[in-house]
Amino acid sequence: MFRTALRNVLAHKARLLMTVLAVMLGVAFVSGTLVFTNTISEAYQKSSAKGFDQVDVAVTSKWEEDKGNTIGKRHELTQSLLEKSAEVPGASNAIGVVSGFTAIADKDGKLVGGGFQSQGGNYYGAKDPRYPLAEGAAPHGANQVAIDSETAKRAGYKVGDTVRLSVDGPVLKPVVTGIFTTDDGNVAAGGSLALFDTATAQKLFGKPGTYDEIDVKAASGTSQTALKAALDKALPADLVETETGRELADQQAEMISASMSGLKQGLLVFAGIALFVGTFIIANTFTMLVAQRTKELALLRAVGASRRQVTRSVLIEAFVVGLVAAVTGLVAGIGIGAGLKSLMGTLGATVPDGPLIVTPGTVGAALAVGVLITMLAAWLPGRRAAKIPPVAAMSSVHAKATTKSLVLRNTLGALFSGAGVAVILAATTMDGSDGQAPMGLGAVLLIIGVFILTPLLSRPLIAAAAPLMRVFGISGKLARQNSVRNPRRTAATASALMIGLTLITGMTVMAGSLQKSIDKMATAAVRADYVVSMANGNELSPDVEKKLAKVDGVTEVSPLRNAASRIDGETEYLTGVNGSAIGKLTDLKVDNGTFKVGGTQVVVDEDRAKSFGWKAGSTFTVHYEDGKAQRLTVAGVYEGNELISGIMLDTATLSPHLTDVSDMQVMLKTSGGASDATKDRLEKALGSNPAIKVQDKKDLSDSIAQMFTLMLNMLYGLLAMAVLVAVLGVINTLAMSVFERSQEIGMLRAIGLDRGGIKRMVRLESLVISLFGGVLGIGLGVFFGWAAGELLGAKMATYELVLPWARMAVFLLLAATVGILASVLSARRPGPDARPRRTPRAGSPWRRGRRPRA
């Protein structure tokens, strides 16, 4: 039986090629994902570990807890604590560390690095061991800076150049006095690092006389744990905490691994989708192969082979196919992993240097996935074939499914579909986070149910195409009949395409609806012509508001100034605004009272009003961060949204209680409205700073929706893998279907249907089946998009369902194109011998060595 199985694999290698390709693509995606994420994770971990070479023990300050009416603060690391740390037995030296966001512009005025990876810090002393100088000298004074060598290379800076940079908004123009090398992980990942002398860094980052961290180096012969114990004993435990360099490196490695796990899981989901689609192709291929060899298997049963041996022979074939596909998929996956790493570089993301990581787990996963998926998909056809009695197989009595099996299949399909729809509808009534898992479960149940019901659905839906098929004459009629004659084969072919289009359509509906909702939100809530903020979301200096207020044409300006407070024993954030201007810069619907901000009068959003039991006229006591209390009155309750919410009070009331005044955004209105000229004027007033965004309503909407658009484009690219596998399935099924009907096609040729008619019939059949799968996929996708939107709508008041008709038409056209392309190979050679055999007569052209005309 083993030799028989191998012979069958070799005998049907052409027909099994598509199955090998389908499994190979899925395995390549899995192994490529694992290779890519393992390689990137390892490179970042090694790079970040180097950054702790100069740190044996790190001393950081503790946070006070919010208690009663007091807002907790972080304790300060003072110069005295630094000196005390350096004097601890076993310590070689101690370095005070100051850090914060610093954006560097290149010579063209564009931001260097990745925004969040643009960091600044202090160069400690005359020779900082953390940052060996490659050129120049250490920075001294407010007008000097040192930059890392990678940034200098990318931006074209050298010692003596003037560099434009920003910490919190206003542009600074210090001179580059030194260029240093560093193992900082952010720099290795494409970020930038600017260093000032310690006093300048403390002033720029709002930490005069204090440090963010104290790094202590152990003396020779002292271990990290021994130094940590000595520091714990010498330093006040209620003010500081200590960690060894090894602990910090391990924590960093865990953080990197955790951040990569999301990417890995996302990519593996799409690999699973490709394999899920490929499973249909494998099962369909082996079902048709077994059906074509029914008499052969029956003969084996007749000469003594048992049911188990027949099933085993089919599984051996599947094992060989799966092993070949897994090995080739693993090799292709290693190439994909290397390609993705290179792609990140071309897209501007810098990855630390490191070897390609192919772990034993990756190899095992690739082999297990390829072999197990193939064998599981082939098990049911093999088991079904083994159950057929030899006599029935010889007479083809088994050819059609029994009424009992059809009723059972349709009943199961109806139950799965009904359960899926019920669970999804129930999930739409839940809270956003609570409904995610039930909705995912309902989607899986519904897809399985529709797949089971696809043979039943194929007849009425394909029958609807009958009027159009009549245009193509006998070829169209035969194509329609072939499509519905074997509904299970039609269902298996269409289902692969259906799943891919379901996912693509569902995400397109969600993305379009979210974009519309965000546009409505920006238009409805914001009257301001422009909103100004830092590119990385950091806080703005209050000087930004002052500079914007002086620009010609600016009529109204207001900051959004956040500050922590305590209200009724709970921490609540306040938003300071210009009370006289905020009503003209926003358009928020007031449900109760009036929108009036000034003095002790504030407005609150309805969620906070509900949680505290407030209404217009209510009063409450607020405790500011400086410990002082004040009685405030609720003037009105408004409908908040994702852009604007919270407790608004006048900056004149809030700012005197703040130690460090900073703004999250600045909103402004101009006399001439939004225009390119006005935007240029505002940007120039801020020094053409690349770290600051000046956005109008459209820019604001686009920036919020940008992540959805980027995600959608990524998902399209990933789902292309599943669609490609589906295309292979359509080609494979059609090719085997044509091969299976060789004698029938030969008979059609014999009664007058020419080759063109045969090819037209196959193409139309493929087109009808592909459109059938496309219609089901788009229909399910719209339903899933609506359901997911209902879940989002609970937290987004402006959510509105948008059906992208143009894109759905493109998807349907894509399905038709898939069918036509798939039929080209299938229709080229319809069977090994489509011409009916004839016995030569005496004196016929065959005898004279001539070939008769067709």
Side-chain angles (χ1 to χ4, degrees), residues 727-739:
V727 172
L728 292 175
V730 175
I731 295 172
N732 199 28
T733 305
L734 284 173
M736 297 183 70
S737 174
V738 170
F739 183 89

Side-chain angles (χ1 to χ4, degrees), residues 662-683:
S662 58
D663 302 326
M664 293 306 297
Q665 293 178 336
V666 176
M667 305 174 73
L668 60 97
K669 200 170 183 62
T670 60
S671 57
S675 67
D676 292 339
T678 302
K679 187 174 182 180
D680 290 341
R681 194 160 61 247
L682 294 172
E683 289 177 342

Side-chain angles (χ1 to χ4, degrees), residues 16 46 77 164 249 255 257 325 329 354 364 383 403 475 487 571 688 787 851:
L16 289 170
K46 286 185 177 179
L77 295 178
R164 296 174 66 251
M255 290 173 60
S257 180
R383 184 171 176 270
T403 303
S475 296
T571 299
S688 299
R851 188 179 178 90

Side-chain angles (χ1 to χ4, degrees), residues 325-388:
V327 172
T328 54
L330 175 61
V331 174
I334 294 172
I336 289 174
L340 287 174
K341 184 182 177 184
S342 300
L343 180 63
M344 288 186 68
T346 60
L347 294 176
T350 305
V351 181
D353 293 331
L356 209 61
I357 306 298
V358 184
T359 64
T362 300
V363 176
L367 295 176
V369 166
V371 173
L372 287 178
I373 289 292
T374 309
M375 292 184 70
L376 285 173
W379 174 75
L380 188 58
R383 184 171 176 270
R384 191 185 300 132
K387 284 186 174 182
I388 301 171

Side-chain angles (χ1 to χ4, degrees), residues 620-824:
F620 62 93
T621 301
V622 61
H623 295 267
Y624 298 107
E625 66 176 40
D626 63 355
K628 295 182 179 179
Q630 188 173 23
R631 196 74 178 167
L632 301 178
T633 303
V634 177
V637 178
Y638 67 92
E639 290 184 7
N641 54 49
E642 285 74 12
L643 292 177
I644 302 173
S645 63
I647 302 172
M648 292 188 196
L649 72 164
D650 198 285
T651 51
T653 304
L654 176 64
S655 297
H657 301 283
L658 303 181
T659 305
D660 183 20
V661 179
S662 58
D663 302 326
M664 293 306 297
Q665 293 178 336
V666 176
M667 305 174 73
L668 60 97
K669 200 170 183 62
T670 60
S671 57
S675 67
D676 292 339
T678 302
K679 187 174 182 180
D680 290 341
R681 194 160 61 247
L682 294 172
E683 289 177 342
K684 287 179 180 178
L686 297 173
S688 299
N689 191 338
I692 294 182
K693 296 186 296 185
V694 179
Q695 298 174 298
D696 59 20
K697 291 182 183 179
K698 186 178 184 306
D699 294 333
L700 188 64
S701 175
D702 290 345
S703 67
I704 298 172
Q706 186 177 10
M707 61 178 178
F708 298 112
T709 304
L710 178 62
M711 186 182 300
L712 186 66
N713 291 335
M714 288 178 61
L715 294 179
Y716 280 157
L718 294 170
L719 285 174
M721 180 71 71
V723 174
L724 180 58
V725 174
V727 172
L728 292 175
V730 175
I731 295 172
N732 199 28
T733 305
L734 284 173
M736 297 183 70
S737 174
V738 170
F739 183 89
E740 191 179 43
R741 305 200 314 261
S742 295
Q743 291 183 350
E744 171 192 325
I745 293 172
M747 184 60 67
L748 291 173
R749 290 291 312 282
I751 61 175
L753 191 62
D754 59 11
R755 283 186 178 273
I758 295 293
K759 291 180 180 180
R760 196 178 306 115
M761 176 189 73
V762 175
R763 288 169 183 163
L764 289 172
E765 179 182 349
S766 174
L767 178 63
V768 168
I769 293 174
S770 297
L771 286 175
F772 168 56
V775 169
L776 283 181
I778 291 173
L780 281 174
V782 169
F783 177 70
F784 289 147
W786 166 82
E790 289 295 303
L791 206 59
L792 288 171
K795 290 194 172 183
M796 186 178 287
T798 57
Y799 185 85
E800 178 184 343
L801 180 66
V802 175
L803 295 181
W805 295 106
R807 289 202 177 188
M808 289 193 292
V810 171
F811 296 155
L812 201 59
L813 182 62
L814 173 65
T817 305
V818 166
I820 293 172
L821 292 177
S823 68
V824 171

Side-chain angles (χ1 to χ4, degrees), residues 57-319:
V57 178
V59 180
T60 55
S61 59
K62 287 185 176 180
W63 274 97
E64 293 179 355
E65 293 184 3
D66 295 345
K67 293 180 180 179
N69 296 323
T70 304
I71 300 171
K73 297 180 180 179
R74 181 181 286 276
H75 293 291
E76 295 180 341
L77 295 178
T78 61
Q79 184 68 26
S80 61
L81 283 174
L82 172 64
E83 294 170 355
K84 195 171 185 179
S85 299
E87 296 171 356
V88 167
S92 173
N93 60 66
I95 295 174
V97 178
V98 182
S99 60
F101 171 75
T102 302
I104 300 177
D106 61 19
K107 292 186 176 180
D108 295 327
K110 296 181 181 179
L111 182 66
V112 179
F116 284 98
Q117 287 76 40
S118 300
Q119 295 295 315
N122 67 314
Y123 191 93
Y124 191 79
K127 190 175 181 181
D128 194 328
R130 300 171 298 168
Y131 309 112
L133 286 168
E135 299 177 45
H140 291 287
N143 295 320
Q144 294 186 0
V145 67
I147 60 175
D148 68 272
S149 56
E150 290 298 322
T151 298
K153 187 188 302 181
R154 287 197 299 267
Y157 287 122
K158 59 183 184 295
V159 173
D161 287 347
T162 299
V163 60
R164 296 174 66 251
L165 55 82
S166 173
V167 171
D168 58 1
V171 174
L172 306 175
K173 297 179 181 179
V175 175
V176 177
T177 61
I179 296 174
F180 59 89
T181 59
T182 178
D183 292 320
D184 187 282
N186 286 325
V187 174
S192 62
L193 180 60
L195 299 179
F196 310 89
D197 66 23
T198 299
T200 302
Q202 289 174 330
K203 181 179 178 182
L204 288 174
F205 301 130
K207 303 156 187 172
T210 64
Y211 301 95
D212 294 309
E213 183 176 300
I214 298 172
D215 292 342
V216 186
K217 186 72 175 173
S220 179
T222 304
S223 67
Q224 290 186 352
T225 52
L227 179 59
K228 181 180 184 301
L231 287 166
D232 288 340
K233 186 177 180 180
L235 301 179
D238 58 331
L239 300 181
V240 301
E241 55 187 353
T242 60
E243 291 178 289
T244 65
R246 171 53 55 192
E247 291 172 341
L248 291 172
D250 290 342
Q251 291 174 12
Q252 188 79 359
E254 288 180 9
M255 290 173 60
I256 292 171
S257 180
S259 64
M260 294 301 295
S261 67
L263 175 63
K264 181 187 293 186
Q265 290 173 4
L267 292 173
L268 286 176
V269 165
F270 289 96
I273 292 170
L275 286 170
F276 186 52
V277 175
T279 303
F280 295 142
I281 298 171
I282 300 164
N284 197 31
T285 300
F286 277 94
T287 298
M288 297 182 70
L289 283 175
V290 169
Q292 291 172 11
R293 290 163 34 213
T294 300
K295 291 185 179 181
E296 174 191 330
L297 296 176
L299 182 60
L300 290 174
R301 290 287 311 281
V303 297
S306 66
R307 288 185 178 182
R308 288 186 178 180
Q309 286 178 310
V310 171
T311 304
R312 199 178 302 134
S313 70
V314 176
L315 290 177
I316 290 171
E317 292 180 47
F319 174 80

